[in-house]
């Protein structure tokens, strides 16, 4: 029904950059909130960034000024541009899509995750 596939994770030195991608397929026309979450070992999953269908964005304080969330609507792809990476950014990053309101039943979908490791 809905498939989200992340890519772009890897190992990078502190201060470096990565771009994560999330390719969406299936019945996605009614999904109106897209985001990236991350989970480090022993910690709860946390919101990194969100973007709504209207283009509004929301970022965790820890990544403001360093990360940018964007969408390529023509390719149904969500991106997370990560700059000036820090060791504390190390986590599994997950793509997320939600269906809220608009007369549709609520939905919540996740990708499989991609590992980001930042070395000091």
């Amino acid at each position: 029904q809905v498939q989200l596939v992340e890519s772009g994770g890897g190992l990078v030195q502190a201060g470096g950059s990565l771009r994560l991608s999330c390719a969406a397929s299936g019945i996605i026309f009614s999904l109106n909130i897209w985001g990236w979450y991350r989970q480090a070992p022993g910690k709860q999953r946390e919101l990194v960034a969100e973007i709504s269908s209207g283009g509004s964005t929301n970022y965790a304080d820890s990544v403001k000024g360093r990360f940018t969330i964007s969408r390529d609507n023509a390719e149904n792809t969500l991106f997370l541009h990560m700059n000036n990476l820090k060791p504390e950014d190390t986590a599994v990053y997950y793509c997320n899509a939600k269906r809220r309101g608009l007369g549709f039943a609520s939905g919540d979908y996740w990708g499989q995750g991609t590992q980001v490791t930042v070395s000091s």
Side-chain angles (χ1 to χ4, degrees):
Q1 186 176 22
V2 176
Q3 290 183 324
L4 305 174
V5 181
E6 301 99 331
S7 62
L11 175 64
V12 64
Q13 291 184 324
S17 300
L18 285 174
R19 186 185 74 169
L20 305 184
S21 299
C22 173
S25 62
I27 310 301
I28 64 173
F29 69 91
S30 60
L31 299 172
N32 54 345
I33 304 174
W34 299 78
W36 290 95
Y37 291 72
R38 67 186 181 188
Q39 187 167 25
K43 297 184 178 180
Q44 293 183 338
R45 187 172 300 187
E46 64 175 351
L47 173 69
V48 177
E50 285 184 324
I51 185 168
S52 72
S53 59
S56 62
T57 57
N58 182 43
Y59 295 92
D61 288 341
S62 60
V63 307
K64 286 181 179 178
R66 300 189 297 121
F67 292 9
T68 302
I69 188 170
S70 62
R71 291 186 65 193
D72 184 336
N73 292 326
E75 299 294 330
N76 294 319
T77 303
L78 181 72
F79 299 100
L80 184 67
H81 298 260
M82 304 185 293
N83 299 313
N84 191 25
L85 284 160
K86 303 175 180 180
E88 48 265 45
D89 294 319
T90 295
V92 177
Y93 284 71
Y94 297 91
C95 179
N96 172 261
K98 294 181 174 66
R99 182 184 299 111
R100 297 288 187 271
L102 305 176
F104 298 98
S106 296
D108 202 335
Y109 304 94
W110 296 90
Q112 83 288 351
T114 185
Q115 176 72 47
V116 172
T117 303
V118 184
S119 65
S120 59

